Amino acid sequence: MTAFFERPGPRWFNIPAHRPFADDLAQGLYDALSPLGPEALSDALVLVPTRRGARALADAFVRAAGGRAVLPPQMRPLGDLEAGEPPFEPGDLALDLPAAIEPLRRRFELAGVVATQAHLLDGHSLTAASTLELADALGGFFDSVQIEEIEIEGRLETLVEGELAEHWQVSRRFLEAAAARWRRRLDELGVVDVSERRVRLLRRLAEAWTLKPPQGVLVAAGSTGTAPATRALLIAAAQAPRGCVVLPGLDANLAFEAWQDVDVQHPQGALKTLLAQAGVEHADVAVWPASGAVDMRGHWRQRVINEALRPADRTADWLQVIKTLRGLDPDGDPVAAGLEGLSLVSARTEEEAATVAALLLREALETPERTAALVTPDQALARRVVAKLARWGVIPDSSAGESLAGSPCGVLAGLLAQLAADPLNPVLLLAILKHPHVRLGREPQDLAATREALERHGLRGPRPQDWSRLKGKLGKHPEAAALASELETLVDGLRAPFADGEAAPPQAARALTEAMERLAADAAGDLGGLWAGHGGEAMSRLLAALVHEADGLPPATPRGFADLLSRLVEGETVRSGGATHPRLRILGAIEARLVRADRLVVAGLEEGVWPRGAPLDPFLSRPMRERLGLPSPERRIGLAAHDFAQAACAPEVVLLHTERREGAPSVKSRWLWRLETLARGADTEEAPVTIARRDDVLAWARALDEPGASAPAKRPAPVPPVADRPREMAVTRVETLTRDPYAVWARDILRLYPLNPPDKAVDARERGTAIHAAFEAFARDHADPLPPDAAEVFQRLYLEALHEAGLPEAALAREAVLAREMGAWVVELERERRADGRKVHVELKGELTFSAPAGPFTVTARADRIEATPDSFGHILDYKTGKAPSKKEVDTGFSPQLTLTAAILEAGGFKDIGPLKPGDLTYLEVTGRRPAGKVEIRAEAGEVSALAASWALEGLQTLVGRYDRPDQAYVSRTAPQFVKARVSDYDHLARVFEWSTSGEEGDE
């Protein structure tokens, strides 16, 4: 095994994709170096792409040594240049290099560059958030040219030719100015970009190893050499006296013609570029000694995957390829053998996909020592899977981390930033008050009690128009009012920097930080865990950077600052670490190159996810990138294809595809589509071939939270004791008892009163109350003769009532138009009805008591309006802002409000006016539209209305008698024809939708 280090260089090896890379690499080095003594292995230097790869390799050396203690080689991460992993800094090579600028400082400094050059963007005004967005794009441009080692000075001015659109000229001028200013700014700060420093370090290391090669064992493993500096270092390592390069997943079976056709989109594209620059032929790359064991199943898997991903113009002869493959093994079917151990799951949604992935990982743990890993570039999916695994108490070793926006400290900061833009938003106020970090100088139980009073009596219902109105609603709850005053002071502090409409982001961030600390402080001033933990530390760093380093950002409105903060926290990832399960990993695509598990779940196989779409470049078009020497966006596709091929060649692989993403149909990844097409082409009657489907896991996922066998809910019919049943009822509640007895049971017997939601929109109920208030005030304060401006008076009364109810100013503008039409119609109505000298009574209360089986029963009414005429008739009017009950509903007793009021009036129940004969029973529909109102008479004065009142009273007596029987149930919706027309506050408790749509026993 030591011979491969002794043969003349350069030494290039390959670990096939179907082999476990880290295990084979560790086994090969252990077998080669351990016989030379205990220090031979520890003196070796191994360069791997990432830190996670180094940790995986360390574990692999323990396995290679049979579980015995072993001193592994020095393992250093080269750093994935696209992902920003820190590199190995070798000795004195970095002594004269400036330090790298901190990432957050760089974002804000770049934002300052964008802001100062914004005048070059043809007058486009930039917000703080859009400035940061352009700064990130500019930073990406600088990273690209630094990684590719392209000198842009003097080249940008010739970048745009005449046939390109004029806006590219604007982009070119902006880039020229921004590049010059950025270079000056870095010099002023005495720092360099992270990418530039990394490239210079790698170049220096490559030059040092070329001039004076290290004499010890040097292995560069797992890298595809995408960046020029990395390629140079790999070439130097291969030429060292005892150095070598171990490539991941080079396709040794690719024919010469197919190899020549490999382009940047092909999985082998990066490796082809590396070997070409190193001057190494494809056929000269040897198999790593520890990877030479015969594994025909893995070999055929790799052949199948590679054939499925072959260059596009070489896919026309797939049938011939399948025939050729089958000819290589007369005793078996290579295609079927290659697909053995490979399965596919197509989930409906991202949520179902996360559940499937979690179940597959959890299933693997049922077998002792069995390992499993999820491989996906989709961090959102990875985080969902982590959350799903938590239900079993399993915490995987995940590289996805969590977004700072989802941490408690990040949530609180985001809520406060939104509150500065929307100070009296009840939902925001409640979310802040209920945040676990918030104490406001109180003990938890005291804060909870005060907060509940503030919520129930101040923040539920329509939004208060200002703080004084909110505190006015809390007059009977002084502690809640004091809490509201504290919140007002807090909001004033948040909004103080925005006194002129806009504020510098550092000032706004300082005010936000002070507000967070004020909220979190207890009675002793202790901030508790506000800045503790990974999330708190990350948030404190971000706010500190905003306060001290964001001077270059343009001023922002409160809403603009909230957008800026949202963009910042969503872009930060918090990796919490801690104890994780030793047999579960969740990996990104690049990290999975060196890591292998007994089961790999490869997820995110949708176009736009894996592979990702080409990023939008606001500065450079494709021709401009090509002239500048930057790689095409398709190179990323090739790298992603290589990572997919590496993962798909594991012994057991479950490919996970999601049919819909974000509610829209998704498109299968091109690699999955090709693999399925190849399998269909190989599937014949003589040699059946298929990709196995794990429908059982789909069934598990769908049944996981599904309740057991159940029958549809039956219509509820509670039977309370007669003693608990109401003995007094308003006429409106009689209507409820007639239509929906269950609602009477819930409200009048159980005393379950509905709570208004916070920030409730002012709807028909509040409009109806406002109409009643306007009519009452108008009739009470403006008797005959009507004033000249009577229409304006009614309009004002109505709008004032709406304003008091909490209608926003914008909505009041709309209502003002309707109120003007209403006022004119009401005045005309009043003049017409008062012409005969009738006396108008408003908001009178009356009652009538009669005998019933369980004892006396009282029915009450509050009449909107009773007009007493000289001939002793009492005309009863009720105001409606919507559709009035039909005549049929009144006649059949489903709407007995007017008829029962008439019965009370006839019996002398209205003490202030004495008994009157029932007059017209009338609804006034008042809408403000055209027509502005309608007079709807449901029973004319005289015999008709008297008879209707008599029938209504008899019907009520019969109804009360029925509910005085102990066995009478309060059934839900006895008149189900009104289910859709009239919504009850208790429909959800009665599960009306369930039983009304599923039917009941005996229903036709």
Side-chain angles (χ1 to χ4, degrees), residues 595-878:
V595 180
R596 185 58 56 88
D598 297 320
R599 169 181 286 174
L600 278 188
V601 180
V602 181
L605 294 176
E606 298 86 44
E607 286 293 310
V609 180
W610 199 359
R612 295 193 182 280
L616 296 176
D617 192 334
F619 299 120
L620 299 175
S621 64
R622 281 177 176 267
M624 292 166 71
R625 292 181 64 89
E626 186 176 352
R627 291 193 191 98
L628 204 54
L630 290 171
S632 67
E634 283 73 23
R635 187 179 74 172
R636 290 176 179 264
I637 296 177
L639 296 173
H642 178 267
D643 293 332
F644 169 77
Q646 285 284 102
C649 288
E652 182 185 350
V653 179
V654 182
L655 305 176
L656 181 54
H657 160 67
T658 304
E659 295 172 353
R660 300 182 70 85
R661 294 188 68 89
E662 298 179 357
S666 64
V667 178
K668 284 185 180 179
S669 170
R670 63 194 69 183
W671 307 315
L672 179 56
W673 178 85
R674 282 177 166 222
L675 190 59
E676 288 185 307
T677 303
L678 181 66
R680 283 196 298 269
D683 186 22
T684 62
E685 291 185 5
E686 297 79 14
V689 171
T690 184
I691 299 177
R693 302 188 69 90
R694 289 296 307 270
D695 292 334
D696 56 329
V697 185
L698 270 180
W700 296 347
R702 291 166 186 172
L704 188 60
D705 294 313
E706 185 180 8
S710 60
K714 294 183 178 180
R715 188 192 317 228
V719 185
V722 172
D724 294 330
R725 303 185 185 192
R727 305 312 301 167
E728 180 178 317
M729 191 171 288
V731 291
T732 51
R733 300 303 294 161
V734 172
E735 179 173 333
T736 305
L737 183 64
T738 304
R739 296 172 181 264
D740 187 11
Y742 182 91
V744 173
W745 172 75
R747 183 184 182 96
D748 300 291
I749 298 176
L750 296 186
R751 301 289 194 268
L752 298 177
Y753 301 115
L755 285 175
N756 281 325
D759 203 11
K760 177 181 178 291
V762 177
D763 56 14
R765 185 174 299 179
E766 284 74 22
R767 292 184 78 247
T769 302
I771 281 288
H772 281 73
F775 266 110
E776 179 183 3
F778 188 81
R780 182 183 63 243
D781 302 333
H782 300 282
D784 292 331
L786 294 176
D789 61 343
E792 290 77 7
V793 169
F794 185 88
Q795 178 182 353
R796 187 186 72 251
L797 291 171
Y798 175 61
L799 293 177
E800 286 176 353
L802 282 178
H803 181 69
E804 190 66 28
L807 190 70
E809 294 295 332
L812 276 174
R814 168 185 171 274
E815 288 292 336
V817 178
L818 300 178
R820 186 168 58 249
E821 299 295 328
M822 283 184 200
W825 183 82
V826 167
V827 169
E828 186 64 30
L829 175 78
E830 290 287 351
R831 287 180 178 148
E832 179 182 335
R833 297 192 71 86
R834 296 185 187 187
D836 59 0
R838 64 185 62 188
K839 188 174 182 180
V840 176
H841 304 274
V842 294
E843 297 297 325
L844 288 182
K845 183 175 182 181
E847 64 179 41
L848 171 63
T849 301
F850 57 86
S851 299
F857 187 92
T858 301
V859 59
T860 64
R862 180 174 290 276
D864 290 348
R865 177 169 175 147
I866 298 177
E867 298 174 350
T869 61
D871 54 359
S872 300
F873 277 99
H875 302 284
I876 301 172
L877 291 82
D878 191 69

Side-chain angles (χ1 to χ4, degrees), residues 417-711:
Q418 295 177 56
L419 189 65
D422 194 1
L424 271 164
N425 186 320
V427 176
L428 289 177
L429 288 171
L430 286 174
I432 291 169
L433 288 173
K434 295 183 180 183
H435 192 280
H437 283 325
V438 171
R439 287 179 285 184
L440 277 170
R442 294 170 169 82
E443 292 299 323
Q445 62 272 18
D446 295 335
L447 177 60
T450 308
R451 181 184 63 214
E452 182 179 354
L454 174 61
E455 174 183 355
R456 176 163 295 193
H457 304 289
L459 296 179
R460 285 188 174 270
R463 178 186 300 204
Q465 298 298 308
D466 51 49
W467 289 100
S468 61
R469 288 177 181 270
L470 173 59
K471 288 182 282 188
K473 293 169 66 176
L474 299 168
K476 297 181 180 179
H477 305 276
E479 291 186 359
L483 179 57
S485 295
E486 288 184 53
L487 291 174
E488 181 182 11
T489 304
L490 183 87
V491 172
D492 289 343
L494 269 176
R495 292 178 58 83
F498 302 97
D500 297 328
E502 291 185 329
Q507 296 175 2
R510 186 181 297 277
L512 177 69
T513 306
E514 292 171 354
M516 291 178 68
E517 293 188 343
R518 182 169 182 171
L519 283 168
D522 60 13
D526 182 14
L527 298 180
L530 177 63
W531 306 120
H534 297 281
E537 292 174 5
M539 194 69 225
S540 66
R541 286 196 301 270
L542 190 150
L543 287 173
L546 262 176
V547 170
H548 299 294
E549 299 168 3
D551 293 324
L553 287 171
T557 63
R559 177 62 61 194
F561 179 73
D563 292 342
L564 170 68
L565 187 71
S566 175
R567 179 176 293 276
L568 284 169
V569 296
E570 287 174 0
E572 294 290 315
T573 299
V574 179
R575 291 182 171 84
S576 56
T580 59
H581 200 287
R583 295 191 281 135
L584 277 191
R585 288 190 176 99
I586 295 180
L587 307 168
I590 296 174
E591 295 170 313
R593 290 178 186 171
L594 271 65
V595 180
R596 185 58 56 88
D598 297 320
R599 169 181 286 174
L600 278 188
V601 180
V602 181
L605 294 176
E606 298 86 44
E607 286 293 310
V609 180
W610 199 359
R612 295 193 182 280
L616 296 176
D617 192 334
F619 299 120
L620 299 175
S621 64
R622 281 177 176 267
M624 292 166 71
R625 292 181 64 89
E626 186 176 352
R627 291 193 191 98
L628 204 54
L630 290 171
S632 67
E634 283 73 23
R635 187 179 74 172
R636 290 176 179 264
I637 296 177
L639 296 173
H642 178 267
D643 293 332
F644 169 77
Q646 285 284 102
C649 288
E652 182 185 350
V653 179
V654 182
L655 305 176
L656 181 54
H657 160 67
T658 304
E659 295 172 353
R660 300 182 70 85
R661 294 188 68 89
E662 298 179 357
S666 64
V667 178
K668 284 185 180 179
S669 170
R670 63 194 69 183
W671 307 315
L672 179 56
W673 178 85
R674 282 177 166 222
L675 190 59
E676 288 185 307
T677 303
L678 181 66
R680 283 196 298 269
D683 186 22
T684 62
E685 291 185 5
E686 297 79 14
V689 171
T690 184
I691 299 177
R693 302 188 69 90
R694 289 296 307 270
D695 292 334
D696 56 329
V697 185
L698 270 180
W700 296 347
R702 291 166 186 172
L704 188 60
D705 294 313
E706 185 180 8
S710 60

